[in-house]
Amino acid sequence: MVGGSVPVFDEIILSTALLNQVISFDDVSGTLVCQAGCVLEQLSRHVEERGFVMPLDLGAKGSCHIGGNVATNAGGLRFLRYGSLHGTVLGLEVVLADGTVLNCLTSLRKDNTGYDLKQLFIGSEGTLGVITAVSILCPPKPKAVSVAFLGCPSFAEVLRTFCTCKGMLGEILSAFEFMDAECMQLVGRHLHLARPVQESPFYVLIETSGSHAGHDAEKLGSFLEHALGSGLVTDGTLATDQRRVKMLWALRERITEALSLDGYVYKYDLSLPAERLYDLVDSLRARLGPRAKHVVGYGHLGDGNLHLNVTAEAFSEPLLAALEPHVYEWTAAHRGSVSAEHGVGFKKRDALGYSKPPAALRLMCQLKALLDPKGILNPYKTLPTWA
Ligand code: MLT
Ligand code: ZN
């Protein structure tokens, strides 16, 4: 997404792929301890067989490693329910730049013994140390999972659907994702996935996860009745069996793939106040006109996270100049973040100043100098070029 793991000049690549063992699983607390090279989907299977789920899920689950997930503080599709890895990771083992093995692989829920050092490495993108093992808290596997896929007449209705749904579904709401009509056209055109509801300007995917199928069905039923009756949504479909649940999720999860088949993709991953989340997409469409093939907005609305993507036949400097710094300035003016969940990497490091004050950037540089004085750990990444 941001070139965080892409070697650019003179780097040596370390692979943790052979560190792929589960070390332990405690089926009372749900704590999984594993090596960094374990693939997320395999871990999911491992804990699901024991009645738990990984607190993290994302489209790349079949290939991404848990060590990379933690190093980049990946957000994903379960964030709304289980929160950030800053909360679910209990401990880490990290190799420091001088070769010290920092064993903070604790599995304690509570540990208030001074600085919480593991937090420094979560989201540091390998610039402060190499994560080699992870201890992570897995919640119990929900007994009932349902997905509703709905069409909304405008973004205002998407927002109202979200508010209504939080009120009516409460503790069983586990995801609230949205996509615009252009996203749906692209997954249809490039991946041949069929639209499951009538054509609409916006679509939302709502997932509920609970411990009692009957209770969840009743709540979801009255929410859908209300949403359809009051015109918040114009059409909808509901899935409770695993195959259809997966099929509906694929429409949302595979947008990235569809975009990459459309041409060169300019990608932005922004945190914005939910009520202004789509304004930038509309204004960019007008600003770019026919220079862009598609300007699309989708993402984790429940987390205030917009994925703004622009496709074009090929990379072009003038198009980039029309996008940047405009997108970042707009985001800063709305007190948003220029990277919600994709990190900073190589591509966004000079945009950091739009979301962090100078004193915070200076402290980041001081931490880097302290932990990696020779600058050998993932150089050229995360920190601004001037650092
Ligand atoms: C997603 O939520 O689908 C990804 O984080 C966005 C992307 O791949 O651009
Ligand atoms: Zn995302």
Side-chain angles (χ1 to χ4, degrees):
M1 299 291 168
V2 290
S5 60
V6 181
V8 270
F9 300 116
D10 52 1
E11 297 94 318
I12 292 169
I13 302 167
L14 296 182
S15 169
T16 53
L18 292 179
L19 297 176
N20 59 3
Q21 299 300 310
V22 169
I23 299 169
S24 64
F25 184 75
D26 176 338
D27 51 16
V28 175
S29 65
T31 309
L32 170 75
V33 183
C34 62
Q35 291 185 307
C38 293
V39 172
L40 181 60
E41 195 164 51
Q42 283 158 7
L43 292 176
S44 290
R45 268 202 297 275
H46 185 90
V47 302
E48 283 185 27
E49 280 160 15
R50 289 157 180 82
F52 291 81
V53 285
M54 290 299 284
L56 168 80
D57 186 23
L58 56 156
K61 55 182 155 273
S63 56
C64 62
H65 293 176
I66 190 72
N69 297 148
V70 174
T72 55
N73 188 24
L77 307 165
R78 290 189 180 147
F79 193 100
L80 179 73
R81 182 58 156 295
Y82 302 121
S84 140
L85 290 170
H86 281 292
T88 50
V89 170
L90 300 178
L92 290 180
E93 180 192 73
V94 181
V95 180
L96 302 181
D98 66 0
T100 304
V101 178
L102 182 70
N103 186 345
C104 291
L105 203 55
T106 160
S107 292
L108 304 170
R109 255 335 261 287
K110 297 179 91 173
D111 180 10
N112 214 359
T113 50
Y115 305 146
D116 189 357
L117 295 174
K118 68 171 184 287
Q119 300 296 355
L120 271 182
F121 302 96
I122 302 174
S124 70
E125 306 184 343
T127 60
L128 300 179
V130 179
I131 295 173
T132 46
V134 176
S135 160
I136 186 163
L137 190 63
C138 301
K141 185 176 172 182
K143 294 200 171 56
V145 175
S146 309
V147 167
F149 200 95
L150 312 169
C152 285
S154 76
F155 192 70
E157 268 80 34
V158 171
L159 291 176
R160 283 173 53 217
T161 305
F162 179 48
C163 294
T164 310
C165 156
K166 276 197 291 186
M168 294 185 73
L169 300 177
E171 77 294 346
I172 63 167
L173 179 64
S174 53
F176 192 101
E177 300 283 320
F178 92 103
M179 58 200 271
D180 63 18
E182 289 195 40
C183 289
M184 184 62 90
Q185 284 156 16
L186 291 172
V187 292
R189 182 174 316 150
H190 296 299
L191 305 172
H192 313 292
L193 301 181
R195 175 166 43 77
V197 293
Q198 277 168 28
E199 198 167 359
S200 305
F202 291 92
Y203 303 91
V204 299
L205 182 152
I206 297 171
E207 185 193 75
T208 62
S209 309
S211 55
H212 192 290
H215 167 262
D216 295 4
E218 198 182 314
K219 276 184 140 174
L220 199 50
S222 25
F223 161 72
L224 290 175
E225 200 178 321
H226 173 82
L228 280 160
S230 58
L232 287 183
V233 307
T234 41
D235 191 18
T237 179
L238 181 64
T240 47
D241 69 280
Q242 234 193 341
R243 196 187 58 84
R244 281 209 72 233
V245 163
K246 266 188 130 169
M247 197 191 86
L248 293 178
W249 261 117
L251 292 163
R252 164 62 189 86
E253 281 185 296
R254 297 186 65 191
I255 296 172
T256 296
E257 197 183 329
L259 285 161
S260 62
L261 294 169
D262 198 56
Y264 184 86
V265 194
Y266 300 82
K267 294 182 93 73
Y268 299 94
D269 163 45
L270 312 168
S271 264
L272 288 166
E275 56 293 357
R276 303 302 305 274
L277 201 87
Y278 202 74
D279 292 2
L280 181 58
V281 184
D282 280 334
S283 83
L284 266 189
R285 270 195 198 116
R287 181 181 169 90
L288 301 178
R291 283 185 285 176
K293 248 176 119 176
H294 292 283
V295 179
V296 305
Y298 63 103
H300 317 284
L301 187 107
D303 309 322
N305 183 182
L306 169 72
H307 294 314
L308 163 68
N309 283 219
V310 177
T311 65
E313 288 302 345
F315 172 78
S316 106
E317 278 295 346
L319 186 50
L320 182 64
L323 285 163
E324 297 177 21
H326 175 76
V327 169
Y328 299 134
E329 285 169 354
W330 199 96
T331 304
H334 294 86
R335 304 180 67 79
S337 169
V338 295
S339 180
E341 63 168 7
H342 291 169
V344 182
F346 186 66
K347 286 193 181 168
K348 311 273 162 164
R349 61 198 176 132
D350 288 320
L352 268 191
Y354 290 98
S355 296
K356 276 201 161 55
L361 291 180
R362 275 198 305 276
L363 188 55
M364 280 173 64
C365 295
Q366 285 162 1
L367 284 168
K368 171 75 175 172
L370 176 74
L371 285 168
D372 182 18
K374 293 184 183 156
I376 60 170
L377 294 174
N378 210 7
Y380 323 113
K381 310 290 166 51
T382 313
L383 299 161
T385 327
W386 54 257

